[in-house]
Amino acid sequence: MATESIEIIPMRADHLDKINEIEQQVFTSEAWPIKTYLYELKENQFAHYFSLLKDGLVIGYIGLWIVIDDAQITTFCIDRAYQGQGYGDKLISHCIHDASMRCIRISLEVRESNHSAIRLYRKHGFVDGGVRKAYYGDGENALVMWRYLS
């Protein structure tokens, strides 16, 4: 039985076609265009983006902004074919570890209806911090979640 190879590495421009495919599949109308990711990777001094590779194929990604001692998860997704298999857990753990090296707290927004993501974030110590009304383009609220880092 062959073992799988899992890597979490800094996101690269050559990952963006696959990331865009995952974005279109999962986020549909709210998918970020490739040019947004290019800006984040090349221009945004606060941005830290990571790709999760399984056997060399991008199956997930996460974005983080670090400003002074605050971190904000900007985007996070696992390809639908790989959801529910622990890959999101690995990626969020990596992100929290990276942020904890220089930050006091980390936050994010998540759709109120995204119960599986909310469960994952709570598993990792995030707590509810408030609600952003009509945050998403379709009018759905965002739950703001945060946690202190040690």
Side-chain angles (χ1 to χ4, degrees):
M1 179 188 279
T3 58
E4 66 183 8
S5 168
I6 300 295
E7 294 179 279
I8 298 173
I9 63 172
M11 188 183 286
R12 301 187 317 240
D14 65 325
H15 296 165
L16 295 181
D17 285 338
K18 182 60 180 171
I19 287 168
N20 186 60
E21 182 182 312
I22 296 168
E23 283 266 314
Q24 296 298 321
Q25 168 199 103
V26 176
F27 296 126
T28 59
S29 65
E30 296 188 353
W32 288 9
I34 288 177
K35 68 180 181 179
T36 299
Y37 282 101
L38 285 171
Y39 172 81
E40 291 294 294
L41 294 177
K42 297 178 184 214
E43 305 292 329
N44 185 349
Q45 67 179 341
F46 305 110
H48 302 262
Y49 282 72
F50 301 96
S51 296
L52 173 69
L53 283 64
K54 179 181 184 221
D55 300 325
L57 176 69
V58 175
I59 65 164
Y61 53 90
I62 196 162
L64 184 67
W65 285 353
I66 295 178
V67 180
I68 308 173
D69 57 3
D70 279 321
Q72 163 112 25
I73 295 175
T74 58
T75 190
F76 172 46
C77 192
I78 300 293
D79 186 310
R80 281 199 196 283
Y82 297 94
Q83 290 180 4
Q85 300 175 42
Y87 298 112
D89 193 61
K90 290 180 189 322
L91 199 49
I92 196 81
S93 292
H94 178 87
C95 183
I96 290 168
H97 176 75
D98 186 71
S100 70
M101 301 294 187
R102 52 198 152 214
C103 296
I104 295 171
R105 71 195 139 259
I106 187 169
S107 64
L108 56 84
E109 289 99 6
V110 59
R111 283 180 173 272
E112 286 183 321
S113 64
N114 192 343
H115 303 293
S116 60
I118 293 168
R119 276 192 304 277
L120 176 65
Y121 299 140
R122 286 186 177 143
K123 175 184 172 185
H124 284 275
F126 285 83
V127 296
D128 299 2
V131 173
R132 294 192 196 279
K133 297 285 186 191
Y135 182 77
Y136 295 99
D138 62 3
E140 185 172 355
N141 296 338
L143 178 60
V144 178
M145 301 183 79
W146 59 273
R147 70 166 270 187
Y148 282 100
L149 301 167
S150 55

